[in-house]
Amino acid sequence: MTETAWITSRIKRDQIDKYLDHGKDFVDDGKIWEKINSAAKPSTAQVRSILQRSLAIQTLTPEELALLIRVQDPELLREMQEAALAIKKKVYDNRIVTFAPLYMGNYCVNNCAYCGFRHDNREAKRRVLSMEEIRRETENLAGKIGHKRIIAVYGEHPLTGIDYILESMRTIYEVRVPTQNGYGNIRRINVNAAPMSVEELTRLKDGGLGTYQVFQETYHHETYEKLHPKGTVKADYSWRLYAMHRALESGIDDVGIGVLFGLYDWRFEVMALLYHAIELETKMGIGPHTVSFPRMEPALNAPYTANSPYHVSDENFKKIMLLIRLAIPYTGMIIT
C-alpha cells in the first residue's frame, strides 16, 4: 500500500460519529473558558471542602477545579499539596514506577508544527529499528539496566503500522537476558502510538499490550487546527479525541491521556483533561489509568517550540501536577 493510500484509509467515521452528541464532541471551548473566568476567588472553607472530595478519591467537577486553579494563597496551596501527597500514598502507597522509552522510528505522515519528526522536516535523518536492533536494545534495558517495563513509541507511518507494532512487541517479550539473579526480561509493554481503529486495537490488546497512550496534544480546537495542517491524518481532531473510546470498546482497559503543555493556555488544558476523564467515566464506565503532562521543549527545525506564547514556567508546571492529582485522584501520573 502506498503512503497516500495508507493515509486515506486511516480514519473510520462510523467509529467517531456514534460517540458525538448531536454531531458535537465533548470539548466545548467556550464553556471551559466560561467556567475558568467565572470562578471567584475561593474561600478557605470552599477549598477544604473540595479537598475532602479529592481525599475520598472522587473525581472533581469542572466548577471545583476552576476554583482550585484560582488559588494563590501560600497557606491554601500548602494544604492542597499535603492533600495531593496523601492521595498519592492512599492510592499508590509510597511507590514510584519507572519505565524506559524505546523509540521505534521517526518516520511520520503528519506535519505538526512543534515536532522534529514532522513529515516536511528535511533536516531529520529517518530510520526504523529492525527486529534485531529492537532485540539488542531490549537486552540492554532488561539486562544491564534492569528495566521491567517499556514504553514503545511509534510514529504514524505505514512503516510502523499495526503489523510492525505487533512484531516488535513479540520481539521484546521474547528477550531473556541472564543476570546474577536469574534472568532479565520486559514484563509489560506500554504503547504510545497514533489513534487506531477498533479492529487494530483489538489486535493490539491480544498482542500483550499494557497501557495504550494517545495524547490530544492540545484540546483547544482553534490551536489544534493551526498546529496540525489539513490533509494529514492528525488534522482530524475528533479521530484523535475518541481514540480512548475505541480502545475501551476493543477491550483494552488501561488507557492513558495527556497534553503537551506549552501549545495553549495550561488552565484550559487542565480543565479539558478533566472533561476527558469525566467523559470516559460516563460513556465507557472507566476513566484514564494514567495522565501524562509533557512540557514542550525545543525540537529540530520546529520554530513553534521557541515562539509559542504559552510556555509553562516551573512554578505553573508544579501547579499543573498538583491540580491533576486533586482533580482525577485515582489516576497514575506520568512525567517524562
Side-chain angles (χ1 to χ4, degrees), residues 22-93:
H22 300 290
K24 294 184 178 180
D25 65 60
F26 61 85
V27 180
D28 185 329
D29 295 15
K31 185 177 181 180
I32 290 176
W33 273 119
E34 180 184 353
K35 291 189 182 300
I36 293 172
N37 293 328
S38 64
K41 181 180 178 181
S43 66
T44 299
Q46 283 179 304
V47 172
R48 288 175 177 169
S49 177
I50 295 170
L51 294 182
Q52 287 306 307
R53 280 178 37 79
S54 295
L55 287 162
I57 318 302
Q58 297 179 21
T59 306
L60 296 185
T61 66
E63 292 80 8
E64 290 169 330
L65 177 56
L67 288 173
L68 293 185
I69 288 174
R70 289 293 308 275
V71 174
Q72 294 182 324
D73 178 76
E75 180 59 28
L76 284 179
L77 285 171
R78 184 187 62 78
E79 290 189 32
M80 289 167 60
Q81 290 166 356
E82 290 175 352
L85 181 57
I87 291 164
K88 188 269 178 186
K89 290 183 176 180
K90 184 175 184 179
V91 177
Y92 292 100
D93 203 359

Side-chain angles (χ1 to χ4, degrees), residues 37-272:
N37 293 328
S38 64
K41 181 180 178 181
S43 66
T44 299
Q46 283 179 304
V47 172
R48 288 175 177 169
S49 177
I50 295 170
L51 294 182
Q52 287 306 307
R53 280 178 37 79
S54 295
L55 287 162
I57 318 302
Q58 297 179 21
T59 306
L60 296 185
T61 66
E63 292 80 8
E64 290 169 330
L65 177 56
L67 288 173
L68 293 185
I69 288 174
R70 289 293 308 275
V71 174
Q72 294 182 324
D73 178 76
E75 180 59 28
L76 284 179
L77 285 171
R78 184 187 62 78
E79 290 189 32
M80 289 167 60
Q81 290 166 356
E82 290 175 352
L85 181 57
I87 291 164
K88 188 269 178 186
K89 290 183 176 180
K90 184 175 184 179
V91 177
Y92 292 100
D93 203 359
N94 190 29
R95 184 172 72 109
I96 293 175
V97 175
T98 62
F99 56 84
L102 181 53
Y103 282 77
M104 301 299 185
N106 63 350
Y107 282 89
C108 192
V109 299
N110 296 308
N111 243 333
C112 308
Y114 48 86
C115 185
F117 292 175
R118 61 191 178 87
H119 182 271
D120 286 355
N121 184 4
R122 304 307 176 191
E123 296 181 27
K125 296 180 180 180
R126 310 285 180 174
R127 65 183 306 235
V128 173
L129 295 185
S130 68
M131 293 305 125
E132 180 56 34
E133 288 173 318
I134 292 172
R135 184 174 289 103
R136 291 201 302 267
E137 292 286 348
T138 305
E139 288 172 350
N140 280 321
L141 292 171
K144 293 181 180 179
I145 303 176
H147 276 292
K148 300 297 183 184
R149 299 170 179 84
I150 276 180
I151 177 73
V153 186
Y154 303 85
E156 188 158 20
H157 193 276
L159 290 176
T160 50
I162 185 62
D163 292 334
Y164 175 88
I165 292 173
L166 293 173
E167 186 180 3
S168 65
M169 290 174 67
R170 285 193 295 270
T171 300
I172 292 169
Y173 277 135
E174 287 170 358
V175 170
R176 297 289 188 275
V177 184
T179 66
Q180 291 181 339
N181 300 314
Y183 62 88
N185 68 305
I186 299 299
R187 298 174 184 173
R188 181 183 179 94
I189 304 173
N190 301 331
V191 169
N192 185 312
M196 300 182 197
S197 67
V198 172
E199 294 78 13
E200 289 176 326
L201 289 162
T202 301
R203 294 179 63 193
L204 188 63
K205 172 182 69 72
D206 294 341
L209 172 72
T211 301
Y212 176 56
Q213 290 183 340
V214 174
F215 304 157
Q216 190 64 20
E217 316 295 14
T218 174
Y219 287 94
H220 187 250
H221 287 80
E222 182 181 346
T223 301
Y224 189 97
E225 182 178 2
K226 179 177 69 175
L227 298 178
H228 305 100
K230 292 180 180 180
T232 62
V233 182
K234 202 165 180 177
D236 194 309
Y237 179 100
S238 58
W239 177 245
R240 195 168 193 87
L241 185 66
Y242 288 94
M244 295 310 167
H245 290 65
R246 297 192 299 277
L248 292 166
E249 179 185 336
S250 75
I252 295 171
D253 61 0
D254 200 322
V255 300
I257 63 175
V259 297
L260 179 55
F261 283 100
L263 298 183
Y264 188 59
D265 191 297
W266 68 265
R267 298 170 299 167
F268 180 96
E269 305 289 21
V270 169
M271 288 284 284

